[in-house]
Amino acid sequence: MEKRYAFVARALTEAIADGRHPVGSVLPTEFELADQFAVSRSTVRAAMQELQASGLVSRKRNAGTRVEATSPAKGGDGFTQALNTIEAVQQFGTETERHVQRVADVVADSELASQLGCRPGRRWLCISSLRTIPGDVTQTPICWTDVYIDGAFADEVRAKMGGHHEIFGTLVEKISGRRFVEIRQDISAVGVSDAMAEPLKATAGAHALSIRRQYLFASNELAEVSLSIHPADRYRYSTRLLRRQDING
């Protein structure tokens, strides 16, 4: 017997494919879908996770669920991110599960400083984690992330990180009383290293994406850097490019 969330996910997938919910449109709210299909909101939420994992939709807090494609991405067992705001990056933490592997105080040598984009000798708190998709019975990680947080916040982050399920950037904002005004992101193609192969359940040398995000307060003040490795078959990064309107037209 088909589970309720699977039925809802299939019905919405068909509606998207038929053009009833075109790419770029926003799906009805969880309340509206729950009423439409006579199911609970938790059932709708599970169906949304299915659609998101297949690359059909993206979800953003306070902005709804946006249709991104008319058919599931090939190998749709991975994770699709559609990002265009700082808030969208922050939402990533609520849509995946973090499994902390190690926590350590580090001092950046010349090699690490080059990776982070900081000066050598700077002190950081490094939190290394694996991320998985909620409900994935295989618990196959979608990425390994090393988050480097300015040493000034290390003690408070250590004390509060256990009960914090969003990305660490939001915790730094709460502790500092300041907001990040910019995230600088660099994406490059790499191979899965020997050290990363086992925790990521991947083959050493397999294709992967390396993503560096630098989190800045005002005045270009760097307070956090994340370095993530995403095996290529488990992650898709989605952006939307629009032609700028002629200001005279």
Side-chain angles (χ1 to χ4, degrees):
M1 182 177 178
E2 187 175 36
K3 294 183 178 180
R4 287 189 173 186
Y5 82 88
F7 167 76
V8 174
R10 179 168 57 81
L12 289 173
T13 297
E14 293 173 355
I16 290 171
D18 291 344
R20 283 174 276 164
H21 299 296
V23 172
S25 67
V26 176
L27 291 180
T29 66
E30 288 184 0
F31 285 110
E32 292 169 334
L33 289 173
D35 184 60
Q36 176 183 338
F37 291 101
V39 296
S40 66
R41 286 185 64 198
S42 61
T43 297
V44 171
R45 208 169 291 125
M48 291 298 101
Q49 290 176 350
E50 288 287 313
L51 296 185
Q52 186 172 19
S54 68
L56 289 174
V57 303
S58 63
R59 309 194 76 189
K60 188 188 304 182
R61 183 178 296 174
N62 300 324
T65 302
R66 183 181 181 276
V67 178
E68 299 290 348
T70 57
S71 61
K74 292 182 179 180
D77 295 329
F79 186 84
T80 298
Q81 253 187 308
L83 307 177
N84 56 12
T85 64
I86 290 177
E87 288 77 14
V89 174
Q90 293 172 337
Q91 181 69 6
F92 174 71
T94 67
E95 295 172 349
T96 61
E97 294 178 346
R98 178 175 57 237
H99 305 274
V100 175
Q101 304 298 299
R102 61 174 180 248
V103 181
D105 295 297
V106 299
V107 177
D109 58 17
S110 57
E111 182 180 354
L112 180 58
S114 178
Q115 289 181 296
L116 301 183
C118 71
R119 69 180 187 280
R122 184 165 179 179
R123 296 183 177 276
W124 300 90
L125 174 67
C126 178
I127 305 172
S128 301
S129 307
L130 290 168
R131 285 276 182 183
T132 60
I133 299 173
D136 179 6
V137 295
T138 70
Q139 288 290 286
T140 301
I142 59 173
C143 70
W144 173 285
T145 301
D146 292 317
V147 176
Y148 292 85
I149 298 171
D150 186 279
F153 308 116
D155 290 343
E156 286 192 75
V157 169
R158 281 181 185 272
K160 298 178 180 179
M161 60 181 284
H164 185 78
H165 303 294
E166 300 175 7
I167 65 171
F168 287 114
T170 59
L171 180 56
V172 172
E173 288 185 327
K174 292 175 183 176
I175 291 171
S176 66
R178 303 169 66 186
R179 300 192 69 179
F180 291 117
V181 299
E182 182 181 358
I183 296 177
R184 296 175 184 169
Q185 179 171 266
D186 296 291
I187 302 176
S188 58
V190 297
V192 175
S193 67
D194 292 342
M196 291 287 178
E198 183 176 351
L200 283 172
K201 299 182 181 179
T203 302
H207 297 304
L209 284 179
S210 172
I211 301 179
R212 182 183 75 173
R213 293 191 179 115
Q214 298 173 308
Y215 294 73
L216 296 98
F217 292 134
S219 302
N220 290 325
E221 184 181 342
L222 181 65
E224 179 183 340
V225 183
S226 67
L227 304 176
S228 299
I229 301 296
H230 298 259
D233 61 341
R234 305 174 200 168
Y235 184 81
R236 187 176 70 169
Y237 180 82
S238 177
T239 58
R240 186 172 177 228
L241 306 179
L242 301 176
R243 187 177 296 280
R244 186 171 59 185
Q245 295 293 325
D246 184 347
I247 59 174
N248 296 318

